[in-house]
Amino acid sequence: MRAEIISVGTELLLGHTINTDAAHVARELSALGVDLLQVQTLGDNAPRLEAALREALARAEIVITTGGLGPTDDDLTKETVARVAGVPLEEDADSLARLLEYFGSRPMSANQRKQALLPRGATAFPNAVGTAPGCAVPVGEGRWALMLPGPPSELLPMLQESVVPFLAGRGGAVIASFMVRTFGMGEGAAALRIAGLTDGANPTAATYAGDCEMFVRITAKAPDAAAARALALPAVDEVRRRLGPVVYGVNVESLEAVVVAELARQGKTVATAESCTGGLLAKRITDRPGSSQVFGYGLVTYANEAKMRLLDVPEAMLRAHGAVSPEVARTMAEHARRNYGTDFGLGITGVAGPDGGTPAKPVGLVYVALSDGQNVWLRIMRAQGRYLGRERTRRLASSHALDMLRRRLTGLPVEGDWALEEGGTAVG
């Protein structure tokens, strides 16, 4: 099965909005074993969209559009797809009921109501977050146009809950897909470790670079779900074996999700003390449902005075070594744990940049410490090559803290030179 993606929106062409929709859709198509032929981006122009749709449908069985389903006058995707399919728009009762429920006692304008209009014969995709439903429209023999809303917060749930099952049921096979998630190894190094596995046709293995992380997706296709899983799982196990401790989970949401769940399972708690990350580590932990069981104290001690008053960091230590130092990071971690009665303490201090660096303490230098009451571990994170910015430095530092805690909780070595590949050096 072949597919094309058409992203609709003048704001995409002007650069006002980054087109992440196409990447999300492309990843799901790859996982389903669907060949993606082409991705186009068009403005809010009905004649150009119509021409693009007709050309795409001549090449592919599936054409997926993103955007142009809202209530405004420039939302023309449904009307254009209906014209290409040669069918009228009709009010979909279920979509209208969801709209009425969404608005409740608030008035609903005619423009809002038009979102319940779908091309005749369409299969509706409910919108779990917003107002505009998506749908799949038959367009000729064995061909479909699938329409999805533009906002990623609306597109992603619809993609998972409606589009993937719809396409999987039309591929003549069942797909099993597993995402092996890692922290601490670059995509190039991982590709070398799993060389040979990425050459297979079924199952397939592909590496993806993420936000300070790297993923390997294993996908297998078979006549039924059990056979597809049986085909994929040996490859998953082999990837885990070759990559080793950098793997933090399979089909899990995030590093923080794994850490919070493991803390809860063990009945343990953690406190955080952050300087250059400004509370990002605490945010990532508390983003997780159930984090209140394991997390009660998160300190942002940006100023030296805050480190002294809230964490008992000695003034003499700050004068002798500076706020960005191994000594201060260790003290932050240990005193966060001890002062607030938790099982673990995490401390982060560094130079996030883009300014403030010195030859002795350059931009990108971050110290991350973990205390469990008996031992204190330290990682030193240094920019490798070009400095990649304040946001990435802070994100990476918080990920190192979470990974150190993950490893301690699961009995893995907390230190290791593998961290060099993600922009930092880890030492014990």
Side-chain angles (χ1 to χ4, degrees):
M1 192 158 54
R2 296 161 298 181
E4 296 201 10
I5 300 170
I6 301 176
S7 299
V8 182
T10 302
E11 69 279 4
L12 301 175
L13 293 178
L14 295 175
H16 295 162
T17 302
I18 297 173
N19 184 11
T20 59
D21 289 349
H24 294 311
V25 175
R27 279 194 291 269
E28 293 305 327
L29 292 175
S30 174
L32 289 167
V34 177
D35 295 323
L36 180 60
L37 303 182
Q38 187 168 292
V39 178
Q40 298 183 66
T41 303
L42 302 175
D44 299 305
N45 184 292
R48 290 176 193 161
L49 177 56
E50 181 175 347
L53 279 165
R54 294 188 186 280
E55 291 171 8
L57 286 163
R59 294 184 293 260
E61 291 80 23
I62 302 292
V63 176
I64 299 177
T65 68
T66 66
L69 300 183
T72 60
D73 291 339
D74 59 357
D75 291 315
L76 302 170
T77 302
K78 277 189 301 189
E79 291 83 347
T80 307
V81 169
R83 188 159 52 251
V84 170
V87 295
L89 292 172
E90 296 179 339
E91 196 165 76
D92 179 70
D94 288 341
S95 297
L96 178 59
R98 293 180 71 89
L99 272 172
L100 292 170
E101 180 185 18
Y102 181 91
F103 280 94
S105 60
R106 295 173 294 162
M108 184 172 67
S109 66
N111 269 4
Q112 295 286 359
R113 186 177 181 122
K114 84 164 191 172
Q115 294 176 104
L117 295 174
L118 302 180
R120 178 181 292 171
T123 299
F125 298 150
N127 191 326
V129 178
T131 56
C135 64
V137 184
V139 188
E141 185 65 29
R143 279 169 161 69
W144 293 82
L146 276 62
M147 292 180 275
L148 305 180
S153 61
E154 299 179 29
L155 177 139
L156 284 167
M158 191 179 295
L159 191 60
Q160 294 291 334
E161 295 165 16
S162 297
V163 175
V164 169
F166 179 88
L167 292 177
R170 281 157 180 77
V174 173
I175 301 293
S177 183
F178 296 87
M179 185 72 87
V180 181
R181 302 179 71 106
T182 77
F183 174 77
M185 182 177 290
E187 186 179 9
L192 290 175
R193 291 269 190 100
I194 65 171
L197 298 178
T198 54
D199 299 331
N202 190 27
T204 62
T207 59
Y208 301 89
D211 185 9
C212 299
E213 298 186 9
M214 191 281 303
F215 318 116
V216 182
R217 171 162 262 169
I218 310 295
T219 304
K221 184 186 298 185
D224 57 68
R229 283 180 58 85
L231 197 58
L233 286 174
V236 173
D237 291 340
E238 182 62 14
V239 167
R240 295 193 69 154
R241 186 189 70 78
R242 294 193 191 185
L243 297 184
V246 299
V247 175
Y248 67 78
V250 177
N251 287 356
V252 294
E253 289 185 51
S254 63
L255 186 52
E256 52 266 36
V258 170
V259 169
V260 169
E262 188 60 25
L263 283 168
R265 190 186 73 80
Q266 295 188 23
K268 303 290 187 181
T269 57
V270 63
T272 60
E274 303 178 63
S275 186
C276 65
T277 46
L280 178 59
L281 175 58
K283 177 191 180 300
R284 291 179 65 178
I285 292 172
T286 55
D287 278 346
R288 299 304 311 163
S291 56
S292 60
Q293 300 176 47
V294 303
F295 182 80
Y297 298 91
L299 306 174
V300 178
T301 54
Y302 216 61
N304 283 355
E305 182 182 359
K307 293 178 178 68
M308 291 186 290
R309 292 182 61 184
L310 299 176
L311 293 167
D312 302 320
V313 177
E315 184 177 4
M317 179 184 290
L318 289 165
R319 283 200 308 268
H321 303 287
V324 179
S325 62
E327 293 80 5
V328 169
R330 290 189 177 105
T331 302
M332 290 171 67
E334 172 57 20
H335 287 192
R337 183 203 64 78
R338 187 186 67 191
N339 292 5
Y340 300 99
T342 57
D343 297 291
F344 301 102
L346 288 166
I348 304 176
T349 182
V351 187
D355 49 24
T358 67
K361 297 180 181 181
V363 168
L365 173 65
V366 181
Y367 296 99
V368 185
L370 165 66
S371 169
D372 69 354
Q374 295 183 331
N375 298 290
V376 181
W377 294 268
L378 179 76
R379 283 189 187 174
I380 308 172
M381 198 180 96
R382 295 186 180 91
Q384 302 294 303
R386 182 169 60 89
Y387 166 68
L388 296 177
R390 183 178 182 85
E391 182 178 349
R392 181 176 174 83
T393 299
R394 286 155 53 101
R395 177 78 182 184
L396 186 56
S398 65
S399 291
H400 272 294
L402 289 166
D403 186 64
M404 291 172 76
L405 183 52
R406 170 189 74 91
R407 285 170 168 254
R408 169 61 181 78
L409 287 166
T410 54
L412 294 169
V414 176
E415 70 283 348
D417 60 5
W418 53 269
L420 281 165
E421 300 191 45
E422 270 295 337
T425 303
V427 297

